[in-house]
Amino acid sequence: MDFELNEDQRAFQDTARQFAQDVMAPDAAQWDATQFFPKDVLRQAGELGFMGLYTPESEGGIDLPRLDSALILEELAAACPSTAAYISIHNMALSMVARYGSEEVRRAFCPGLTAGEQLASYCLTEPNAGSDAGNLKTRAVRDGEVYRLTGSKAFISGAGDSDVLVVMARTGGDGPKGISAFVVPADASGISYGKKEEKMGWNSQPTRAINFDEVEVPVANRLGDEGQGFAIAMEGLDGGRINIATCSIGAAQACLQFAVSHVSERQQFGQRIADFQNTQFKLADMQTELIAARQMVRLAAFKLDTNHPEKTAYCAMAKRFATDVGFQVCNEALQLHGGYGYIREYPVERFLRDSRVHQILEGTNEIMRVILSRRILIEGMTEILR
C-alpha cells in the first residue's frame, strides 16, 4: 500500500489550495456575516473544473476519482467549509444527472452545471422524512408524457438560488422501491420556495424549503427507471459522505494551524502557551486524530473508486469518524484560543459553526451507526474487512 500522493494529485491539491487562499479565504468571513452566496466564486471554481469533479469528460466534467476529488474539497474547506460543502452537494446532484440522465437531459443540463454557470440542489429530505428517507411523501403521478409532481422538501441547500433540482419522489407503492428521481428546472411553474433559513453556520449558502404543486415534469427528465430513484440517491450519498467528511478534515486542519499560531505567540504566566505540557499534549492528540480521520476518508474514497463490495460501509465509517473528529479538533482549537476563540475577529468560531452540521447531514452519524451495525450483525461484514 502506497499512502503517498502522486504527482497529479499533488498538482490538484496545490491548485485547489491556491484558489482557496487567493479567492475564498479573503472574503469567507464576510460571506458568513452577511449570509452572502458567492455565485461568482462558484463560477470561477467551475473554470477550474471544481463544479464537475467526477462528472465524465464527455459531459463537461474532469472525471476525477473520488480520492482526487476529496483532496480538492479538503483544500477548499480549509478556507470556507460552508462554500466547499455546497460545491460538494452540487457535484453530487450533477453526477446523478450525468450518469442516469437521458442524452437529451445531459445535453440540456450538464454543460451549464459543470461550468458553474448553473447550480444544482439535491432534494431528498422532507419535513417528516429526514433520516427515514425511504418513506418520503412527495409524489409524481404520470399523466401521458409528463409527471405531475406534488409535495414538499426541507433543508435544501441552494434552494431559491440554484437553477436545477434533482428531486426524489414517489411514483409507486410504499417504501424505497416506489421512489424515482427527476431533474427539474428550478423555475418551473408550480414551484415555490420558503424563507431563507436562519442557521447556526453554513451561512454562505442558502437553505430553504421547496413546495411542488402539480409541477409538470417531462417523462424524459426521469433519471434511470421508475423505482430506481432511492438507489440512485443512496449511491450519490456514498460519495457525498466522503465529500462532507473531507470538508470536516479541511476545517479541522485550518483550525489546528490557527491554534498552533496562537499558542506560539500568546503568553500567560510568563511563558508562551505552547510551552505548557498540557497544550503540547492537546496539539499532539489533535494532530493524531486528524491524520487518522484523513486516512480513513481516503481509504473509503479508494474503496468507492474500486467498487469494493463494502464501499457503502467504508463511506459510512469515514463519514461518522471524520465529522466527529473534525468538530472535536475545531472545538479544541477554539479552547486553546481562550476568549479570543469566541469572538468573530478570529476564524475558529466560524469553522466550528460550519463543521457542526456535518455530523447531521448526508445521513446523521446515528444513521451511520445503524448502517454499520446491520452490516456487522446481519451480513458478517467483519470478515470482509479483514
Side-chain angles (χ1 to χ4, degrees):
M1 293 182 287
D2 185 358
F3 292 96
E4 292 297 322
L5 302 181
N6 62 39
E7 186 176 334
D8 287 343
Q9 290 168 331
R10 290 290 185 191
F12 291 136
Q13 191 179 54
D14 290 344
T15 299
R17 182 176 301 157
Q18 197 69 46
F19 178 79
Q21 295 307 311
D22 291 350
V23 180
M24 296 172 67
D27 296 315
Q30 185 68 15
W31 300 338
D32 172 71
T34 61
Q35 300 184 15
F36 178 74
F37 191 32
K39 291 185 178 182
D40 286 346
V41 170
L42 297 177
R43 279 190 284 270
Q44 291 179 61
E47 293 172 5
L48 293 173
F50 296 165
M51 302 302 281
L53 288 171
Y54 38 87
T55 295
E57 291 182 6
S58 60
E59 309 305 331
I62 57 176
D63 201 17
L64 292 182
R66 294 306 177 94
L67 175 55
D68 295 20
S69 300
L71 301 175
I72 290 170
L73 288 169
E74 178 181 334
E75 295 300 330
L76 301 183
C80 181
S82 171
T83 305
Y86 177 75
I87 291 173
S88 158
I89 293 166
H90 170 92
N91 271 279
M92 179 171 63
L94 168 57
S95 69
M96 295 166 65
V97 177
R99 181 166 184 178
Y100 291 100
S102 65
E103 182 179 351
E104 176 185 349
V105 162
R106 298 197 308 273
R107 189 166 58 247
F109 293 104
C110 286
L113 292 172
T114 55
E117 295 170 359
Q118 292 187 309
L119 302 175
S121 291
Y122 176 86
C123 306
L124 177 63
T125 300
E126 297 185 359
N128 294 308
S131 295
D132 189 14
N135 283 322
L136 61 82
K137 303 302 181 187
T138 297
R139 181 165 290 278
V141 178
R142 186 159 180 173
D143 181 10
E145 289 306 305
V146 301
Y147 287 90
R148 300 192 181 278
L149 181 65
T150 301
S152 60
K153 299 293 180 180
F155 306 126
I156 305 304
S157 292
D161 285 270
S162 57
D163 306 282
V164 179
L165 310 177
V166 175
V167 183
M168 273 54 72
R170 191 165 300 285
T171 53
D174 294 340
K177 294 184 179 179
I179 296 171
S180 300
F182 301 89
V183 57
V184 184
D187 60 354
S189 179
I191 297 178
S192 60
Y193 296 93
K195 65 178 179 63
K196 187 165 74 170
E197 302 289 357
E198 297 289 333
K199 306 189 296 288
M200 173 181 173
W202 270 28
N203 290 318
S204 74
Q205 53 167 298
T207 301
R208 293 182 176 90
I210 307 178
N211 295 303
F212 302 92
D213 183 10
E214 295 287 314
V215 178
E216 289 192 4
V217 182
V219 171
N221 282 32
R222 189 183 67 224
L223 301 177
D225 298 327
E226 268 204 10
Q228 195 180 358
F230 190 79
I232 293 172
M234 294 302 105
E235 180 183 293
L237 281 176
D238 278 345
R241 286 165 183 162
I242 291 172
N243 292 350
I244 214 64
T246 207
C247 285
S248 286
I249 299 301
Q253 181 66 56
C255 284
L256 176 58
Q257 291 169 212
F258 294 142
V260 169
S261 295
H262 183 75
V263 300
S264 297
E265 296 169 0
R266 182 160 170 76
Q267 292 196 355
Q268 291 285 279
F269 303 102
Q271 60 180 319
R272 298 184 313 157
I273 297 175
D275 293 332
F276 291 102
Q277 190 177 65
N278 178 66
T279 302
Q280 296 166 1
F281 282 7
K282 183 168 288 190
L283 291 171
D285 287 344
M286 292 162 68
Q287 180 70 81
T288 300
E289 289 162 12
L290 179 56
I291 292 293
R294 179 181 288 119
Q295 294 307 322
M296 180 170 277
V297 170
R298 292 181 182 180
L299 174 63
F302 173 76
K303 296 297 185 183
L304 190 57
D305 285 331
T306 56
N307 198 31
H308 189 278
E310 289 292 350
K311 58 183 182 293
T312 295
Y314 276 101
C315 292
M317 285 189 289
K319 193 271 180 181
R320 200 289 299 167
F321 186 69
T323 58
D324 282 350
V325 166
F327 179 75
Q328 179 183 338
V329 170
C330 292
N331 194 42
E332 294 285 11
L334 190 149
Q335 188 72 17
L336 286 170
H337 279 72
Y340 292 101
Y342 204 65
I343 61 176
R344 293 197 173 181
E345 182 181 346
Y346 289 75
V348 289
E349 63 85 28
R350 172 169 56 87
F351 281 83
L352 180 78
R353 289 186 287 105
D354 282 347
S355 64
R356 179 59 182 88
V357 75
H358 298 174
Q359 295 168 294
I360 298 171
L361 53 83
E362 312 291 36
T364 66
N365 285 3
E366 289 74 20
I367 290 297
M368 298 305 99
R369 292 178 172 92
V370 169
I371 292 170
L372 289 164
S373 61
R374 285 176 177 171
R375 298 302 297 153
I376 292 166
L377 293 172
I378 298 173
E379 304 294 339
M381 183 185 74
T382 52
E383 290 299 312
I384 298 175
L385 295 184
R386 293 177 64 184

